[in-house]
Amino acid sequence: MRPEAPMSQVFSEETHRNMLARIPHCTGREVSDWLRTVDEGPALFRFEEKVSWLRAEHDLAYGHAKAIIHEYDLRRAARKLL
């Protein structure tokens, strides 16, 4: 794996949606499958820890891992509001 420069944790909504749309093609797995993987993974708290774990465990590009964790956090927050 080659190191990539860290990016801001903040995605524009459009960038985030575009990244999510490309994940199945680039990884061969649906976003819902990745979200389940994160849910079943280790109980990490910090955003970058989750991204690093996903990259190391599943050899994902930084942007894909970041988009998956961002979506995971968005959906988890939405569940807490219900």
Side-chain angles (χ1 to χ4, degrees):
M1 263 186 328
R2 70 184 202 288
E4 296 176 12
M7 299 175 356
S8 165
Q9 289 185 18
V10 179
F11 274 126
S12 74
E13 183 65 24
E14 181 181 1
T15 300
H16 179 65
R17 292 290 154 217
N18 288 337
M19 183 69 76
L20 286 180
R22 288 193 306 266
I23 285 174
H25 173 72
C26 295
T27 68
R29 292 174 63 184
E30 294 298 320
V31 172
S32 59
D33 190 26
W34 285 114
L35 297 176
R36 205 170 20 262
T37 297
V38 173
D39 200 42
E40 294 168 355
L44 302 170
F45 296 103
R46 290 182 44 239
F47 183 89
E48 285 298 328
E49 286 177 325
K50 295 175 196 175
V51 171
S52 293
W53 170 78
L54 203 54
R55 290 186 72 205
E57 190 71 22
H58 298 282
D59 197 30
L60 291 177
Y62 180 80
H64 293 141
K66 185 176 154 185
I68 291 165
I69 298 302
H70 184 64
E71 184 67 15
Y72 179 83
D73 288 348
L74 287 173
R75 292 185 186 195
R76 188 182 64 196
R79 283 192 306 261
K80 287 182 180 179
L81 294 175
L82 297 178

mmCIF file of all heavy atoms in Angstrom, residues 34-60:
data_model
loop_
_atom_site.group_PDB
_atom_site.id
_atom_site.type_symbol
_atom_site.label_atom_id
_atom_site.label_comp_id
_atom_site.label_asym_id
_atom_site.label_seq_id
_atom_site.Cartn_x
_atom_site.Cartn_y
_atom_site.Cartn_z
ATOM 1 N N TRP A 34 -20.168 -2.954 3.203
ATOM 2 C CA TRP A 34 -19.067 -2.285 3.915
ATOM 3 C C TRP A 34 -19.538 -1.744 5.259
ATOM 4 O O TRP A 34 -18.818 -1.818 6.258
ATOM 5 C CB TRP A 34 -18.466 -1.170 3.067
ATOM 6 C CG TRP A 34 -17.598 -1.684 1.970
ATOM 7 C CD1 TRP A 34 -17.818 -1.584 0.624
ATOM 8 C CD2 TRP A 34 -16.368 -2.387 2.114
ATOM 9 N NE1 TRP A 34 -16.797 -2.187 -0.059
ATOM 10 C CE2 TRP A 34 -15.888 -2.682 0.825
ATOM 11 C CE3 TRP A 34 -15.611 -2.786 3.210
ATOM 12 C CZ2 TRP A 34 -14.691 -3.363 0.608
ATOM 13 C CZ3 TRP A 34 -14.419 -3.470 2.996
ATOM 14 C CH2 TRP A 34 -13.975 -3.754 1.705
ATOM 15 N N LEU A 35 -20.752 -1.183 5.299
ATOM 16 C CA LEU A 35 -21.269 -0.642 6.560
ATOM 17 C C LEU A 35 -21.448 -1.749 7.584
ATOM 18 O O LEU A 35 -21.157 -1.561 8.774
ATOM 19 C CB LEU A 35 -22.592 0.091 6.319
ATOM 20 C CG LEU A 35 -22.502 1.313 5.406
ATOM 21 C CD1 LEU A 35 -23.890 1.889 5.159
ATOM 22 C CD2 LEU A 35 -21.561 2.361 5.955
ATOM 23 N N ARG A 36 -21.888 -2.912 7.137
ATOM 24 C CA ARG A 36 -22.018 -4.066 8.019
ATOM 25 C C ARG A 36 -20.631 -4.499 8.520
ATOM 26 O O ARG A 36 -20.464 -4.840 9.693
ATOM 27 C CB ARG A 36 -22.707 -5.201 7.264
ATOM 28 C CG ARG A 36 -23.426 -6.190 8.111
ATOM 29 C CD ARG A 36 -24.319 -7.175 7.354
ATOM 30 N NE ARG A 36 -24.055 -7.367 5.936
ATOM 31 C CZ ARG A 36 -24.717 -6.761 4.936
ATOM 32 N NH1 ARG A 36 -25.685 -5.922 5.210
ATOM 33 N NH2 ARG A 36 -24.420 -7.009 3.677
ATOM 34 N N THR A 37 -19.634 -4.463 7.652
ATOM 35 C CA THR A 37 -18.259 -4.805 8.035
ATOM 36 C C THR A 37 -17.756 -3.877 9.134
ATOM 37 O O THR A 37 -17.155 -4.326 10.116
ATOM 38 C CB THR A 37 -17.329 -4.728 6.797
ATOM 39 O OG1 THR A 37 -17.769 -5.700 5.850
ATOM 40 C CG2 THR A 37 -15.882 -4.985 7.168
ATOM 41 N N VAL A 38 -18.018 -2.585 8.985
ATOM 42 C CA VAL A 38 -17.607 -1.618 10.016
ATOM 43 C C VAL A 38 -18.347 -1.896 11.318
ATOM 44 O O VAL A 38 -17.751 -1.896 12.392
ATOM 45 C CB VAL A 38 -17.858 -0.168 9.541
ATOM 46 C CG1 VAL A 38 -17.596 0.824 10.670
ATOM 47 C CG2 VAL A 38 -17.001 0.150 8.324
ATOM 48 N N ASP A 39 -19.645 -2.168 11.215
ATOM 49 C CA ASP A 39 -20.453 -2.430 12.406
ATOM 50 C C ASP A 39 -19.950 -3.664 13.161
ATOM 51 O O ASP A 39 -19.965 -3.691 14.386
ATOM 52 C CB ASP A 39 -21.909 -2.610 12.002
ATOM 53 C CG ASP A 39 -22.866 -2.412 13.145
ATOM 54 O OD1 ASP A 39 -22.657 -1.473 13.942
ATOM 55 O OD2 ASP A 39 -23.826 -3.187 13.252
ATOM 56 N N GLU A 40 -19.492 -4.649 12.431
ATOM 57 C CA GLU A 40 -19.018 -5.893 13.042
ATOM 58 C C GLU A 40 -17.532 -5.836 13.410
ATOM 59 O O GLU A 40 -17.017 -6.760 14.027
ATOM 60 C CB GLU A 40 -19.275 -7.064 12.083
ATOM 61 C CG GLU A 40 -20.752 -7.320 11.864
ATOM 62 C CD GLU A 40 -21.044 -8.273 10.715
ATOM 63 O OE1 GLU A 40 -20.089 -8.688 10.008
ATOM 64 O OE2 GLU A 40 -22.224 -8.586 10.519
ATOM 65 N N GLY A 41 -16.855 -4.764 13.035
ATOM 66 C CA GLY A 41 -15.424 -4.614 13.299
ATOM 67 C C GLY A 41 -15.146 -4.191 14.732
ATOM 68 O O GLY A 41 -16.049 -4.144 15.570
ATOM 69 N N PRO A 42 -13.900 -3.853 15.007
ATOM 70 C CA PRO A 42 -13.524 -3.461 16.376
ATOM 71 C C PRO A 42 -14.193 -2.152 16.799
ATOM 72 O O PRO A 42 -14.530 -1.326 15.956
ATOM 73 C CB PRO A 42 -12.007 -3.292 16.293
ATOM 74 C CG PRO A 42 -11.718 -3.052 14.854
ATOM 75 C CD PRO A 42 -12.778 -3.770 14.079
ATOM 76 N N ALA A 43 -14.392 -2.012 18.083
ATOM 77 C CA ALA A 43 -15.045 -0.818 18.645
ATOM 78 C C ALA A 43 -14.031 0.322 18.739
ATOM 79 O O ALA A 43 -13.466 0.581 19.790
ATOM 80 C CB ALA A 43 -15.634 -1.137 20.009
ATOM 81 N N LEU A 44 -13.806 0.978 17.617
ATOM 82 C CA LEU A 44 -12.912 2.132 17.580
ATOM 83 C C LEU A 44 -13.747 3.397 17.683
ATOM 84 O O LEU A 44 -14.884 3.435 17.212
ATOM 85 C CB LEU A 44 -12.106 2.125 16.275
ATOM 86 C CG LEU A 44 -11.270 0.867 16.042
ATOM 87 C CD1 LEU A 44 -10.706 0.855 14.634
ATOM 88 C CD2 LEU A 44 -10.160 0.770 17.069
ATOM 89 N N PHE A 45 -13.194 4.441 18.265
ATOM 90 C CA PHE A 45 -13.974 5.653 18.484
ATOM 91 C C PHE A 45 -13.616 6.788 17.538
ATOM 92 O O PHE A 45 -14.490 7.476 17.047
ATOM 93 C CB PHE A 45 -13.837 6.119 19.940
ATOM 94 C CG PHE A 45 -14.405 5.123 20.896
ATOM 95 C CD1 PHE A 45 -13.570 4.292 21.616
ATOM 96 C CD2 PHE A 45 -15.778 4.998 21.056
ATOM 97 C CE1 PHE A 45 -14.097 3.355 22.486
ATOM 98 C CE2 PHE A 45 -16.320 4.060 21.920
ATOM 99 C CZ PHE A 45 -15.476 3.236 22.645
ATOM 100 N N ARG A 46 -12.352 6.996 17.281
ATOM 101 C CA ARG A 46 -11.931 8.121 16.449
ATOM 102 C C ARG A 46 -12.112 7.807 14.967
ATOM 103 O O ARG A 46 -11.877 6.689 14.510
ATOM 104 C CB ARG A 46 -10.468 8.461 16.727
ATOM 105 C CG ARG A 46 -10.289 9.082 18.105
ATOM 106 C CD ARG A 46 -8.854 9.484 18.423
ATOM 107 N NE ARG A 46 -8.214 10.165 17.312
ATOM 108 C CZ ARG A 46 -7.093 9.723 16.720
ATOM 109 N NH1 ARG A 46 -6.505 8.622 17.121
ATOM 110 N NH2 ARG A 46 -6.559 10.404 15.725
ATOM 111 N N PHE A 47 -12.538 8.812 14.219
ATOM 112 C CA PHE A 47 -12.777 8.688 12.785
ATOM 113 C C PHE A 47 -11.564 8.101 12.069
ATOM 114 O O PHE A 47 -11.677 7.126 11.321
ATOM 115 C CB PHE A 47 -13.127 10.079 12.218
ATOM 116 C CG PHE A 47 -13.471 10.085 10.760
ATOM 117 C CD1 PHE A 47 -14.770 9.887 10.348
ATOM 118 C CD2 PHE A 47 -12.486 10.313 9.806
ATOM 119 C CE1 PHE A 47 -15.098 9.899 9.002
ATOM 120 C CE2 PHE A 47 -12.801 10.326 8.454
ATOM 121 C CZ PHE A 47 -14.115 10.121 8.050
ATOM 122 N N GLU A 48 -10.395 8.689 12.295
ATOM 123 C CA GLU A 48 -9.197 8.240 11.590
ATOM 124 C C GLU A 48 -8.775 6.829 11.998
ATOM 125 O O GLU A 48 -8.184 6.105 11.192
ATOM 126 C CB GLU A 48 -8.042 9.224 11.784
ATOM 127 C CG GLU A 48 -8.188 10.494 10.972
ATOM 128 C CD GLU A 48 -8.202 10.263 9.453
ATOM 129 O OE1 GLU A 48 -7.553 9.321 8.959
ATOM 130 O OE2 GLU A 48 -8.864 11.046 8.756
ATOM 131 N N GLU A 49 -9.065 6.425 13.228
ATOM 132 C CA GLU A 49 -8.777 5.046 13.641
ATOM 133 C C GLU A 49 -9.614 4.070 12.824
ATOM 134 O O GLU A 49 -9.118 3.034 12.386
ATOM 135 C CB GLU A 49 -9.094 4.843 15.122
ATOM 136 C CG GLU A 49 -8.124 5.471 16.071
ATOM 137 C CD GLU A 49 -8.549 5.294 17.515
ATOM 138 O OE1 GLU A 49 -9.760 5.316 17.811
ATOM 139 O OE2 GLU A 49 -7.642 5.129 18.346
ATOM 140 N N LYS A 50 -10.883 4.407 12.639
ATOM 141 C CA LYS A 50 -11.774 3.552 11.848
ATOM 142 C C LYS A 50 -11.303 3.481 10.402
ATOM 143 O O LYS A 50 -11.286 2.408 9.796
ATOM 144 C CB LYS A 50 -13.208 4.077 11.892
ATOM 145 C CG LYS A 50 -13.853 4.027 13.258
ATOM 146 C CD LYS A 50 -15.222 4.677 13.183
ATOM 147 C CE LYS A 50 -15.779 5.016 14.530
ATOM 148 N NZ LYS A 50 -17.042 5.750 14.425
ATOM 149 N N VAL A 51 -10.934 4.631 9.845
ATOM 150 C CA VAL A 51 -10.445 4.675 8.465
ATOM 151 C C VAL A 51 -9.179 3.834 8.342
ATOM 152 O O VAL A 51 -9.050 3.018 7.417
ATOM 153 C CB VAL A 51 -10.191 6.132 8.011
ATOM 154 C CG1 VAL A 51 -9.486 6.169 6.662
ATOM 155 C CG2 VAL A 51 -11.505 6.914 7.934
ATOM 156 N N SER A 52 -8.256 3.988 9.263
ATOM 157 C CA SER A 52 -6.999 3.235 9.227
ATOM 158 C C SER A 52 -7.246 1.740 9.334
ATOM 159 O O SER A 52 -6.612 0.941 8.629
ATOM 160 C CB SER A 52 -6.074 3.693 10.354
ATOM 161 O OG SER A 52 -5.667 5.013 10.129
ATOM 162 N N TRP A 53 -8.151 1.332 10.214
ATOM 163 C CA TRP A 53 -8.480 -0.091 10.358
ATOM 164 C C TRP A 53 -9.059 -0.638 9.051
ATOM 165 O O TRP A 53 -8.632 -1.695 8.573
ATOM 166 C CB TRP A 53 -9.485 -0.304 11.497
ATOM 167 C CG TRP A 53 -10.018 -1.711 11.492
ATOM 168 C CD1 TRP A 53 -9.378 -2.829 11.955
ATOM 169 C CD2 TRP A 53 -11.261 -2.152 10.946
ATOM 170 N NE1 TRP A 53 -10.168 -3.932 11.727
ATOM 171 C CE2 TRP A 53 -11.317 -3.547 11.121
ATOM 172 C CE3 TRP A 53 -12.335 -1.501 10.340
ATOM 173 C CZ2 TRP A 53 -12.415 -4.306 10.701
ATOM 174 C CZ3 TRP A 53 -13.420 -2.254 9.925
ATOM 175 C CH2 TRP A 53 -13.455 -3.633 10.102
ATOM 176 N N LEU A 54 -10.000 0.073 8.468
ATOM 177 C CA LEU A 54 -10.629 -0.384 7.234
ATOM 178 C C LEU A 54 -9.601 -0.501 6.113
ATOM 179 O O LEU A 54 -9.599 -1.474 5.354
ATOM 180 C CB LEU A 54 -11.754 0.586 6.856
ATOM 181 C CG LEU A 54 -12.865 0.084 5.959
ATOM 182 C CD1 LEU A 54 -13.505 -1.184 6.503
ATOM 183 C CD2 LEU A 54 -13.918 1.162 5.794
ATOM 184 N N ARG A 55 -8.714 0.465 6.019
ATOM 185 C CA ARG A 55 -7.658 0.421 4.988
ATOM 186 C C ARG A 55 -6.728 -0.764 5.205
ATOM 187 O O ARG A 55 -6.399 -1.488 4.268
ATOM 188 C CB ARG A 55 -6.843 1.701 5.020
ATOM 189 C CG ARG A 55 -7.607 2.905 4.524
ATOM 190 C CD ARG A 55 -6.714 4.104 4.447
ATOM 191 N NE ARG A 55 -5.797 3.918 3.311
ATOM 192 C CZ ARG A 55 -4.613 4.487 3.213
ATOM 193 N NH1 ARG A 55 -4.173 5.274 4.172
ATOM 194 N NH2 ARG A 55 -3.861 4.285 2.163
ATOM 195 N N ALA A 56 -6.278 -0.954 6.441
ATOM 196 C CA ALA A 56 -5.322 -2.021 6.738
ATOM 197 C C ALA A 56 -5.955 -3.403 6.603
ATOM 198 O O ALA A 56 -5.356 -4.317 6.045
ATOM 199 C CB ALA A 56 -4.758 -1.837 8.146
ATOM 200 N N GLU A 57 -7.151 -3.542 7.090
ATOM 201 C CA GLU A 57 -7.826 -4.845 7.105
ATOM 202 C C GLU A 57 -8.319 -5.262 5.724
ATOM 203 O O GLU A 57 -8.347 -6.441 5.403
ATOM 204 C CB GLU A 57 -9.004 -4.786 8.089
ATOM 205 C CG GLU A 57 -9.634 -6.105 8.395
ATOM 206 C CD GLU A 57 -8.760 -7.022 9.253
ATOM 207 O OE1 GLU A 57 -7.858 -6.530 9.953
ATOM 208 O OE2 GLU A 57 -9.000 -8.237 9.212
ATOM 209 N N HIS A 58 -8.718 -4.285 4.905
ATOM 210 C CA HIS A 58 -9.358 -4.605 3.624
ATOM 211 C C HIS A 58 -8.666 -3.978 2.422
ATOM 212 O O HIS A 58 -9.209 -4.010 1.318
ATOM 213 C CB HIS A 58 -10.832 -4.186 3.666
ATOM 214 C CG HIS A 58 -11.605 -4.918 4.726
ATOM 215 N ND1 HIS A 58 -12.038 -6.214 4.562
ATOM 216 C CD2 HIS A 58 -11.963 -4.547 5.976
ATOM 217 C CE1 HIS A 58 -12.662 -6.609 5.667
ATOM 218 N NE2 HIS A 58 -12.620 -5.618 6.538
ATOM 219 N N ASP A 59 -7.508 -3.401 2.635
ATOM 220 C CA ASP A 59 -6.690 -2.836 1.559
ATOM 221 C C ASP A 59 -7.476 -1.849 0.683
ATOM 222 O O ASP A 59 -7.426 -1.903 -0.543
ATOM 223 C CB ASP A 59 -6.092 -3.960 0.698
ATOM 224 C CG ASP A 59 -4.934 -3.483 -0.146
ATOM 225 O OD1 ASP A 59 -4.223 -2.542 0.280
ATOM 226 O OD2 ASP A 59 -4.727 -4.032 -1.238
ATOM 227 N N LEU A 60 -8.206 -0.960 1.334
ATOM 228 C CA LEU A 60 -8.983 0.050 0.610
ATOM 229 C C LEU A 60 -8.169 1.322 0.424
ATOM 230 O O LEU A 60 -7.298 1.633 1.230
ATOM 231 C CB LEU A 60 -10.250 0.418 1.392
ATOM 232 C CG LEU A 60 -11.324 -0.642 1.493
ATOM 233 C CD1 LEU A 60 -12.470 -0.134 2.358
ATOM 234 C CD2 LEU A 60 -11.825 -1.036 0.120
#
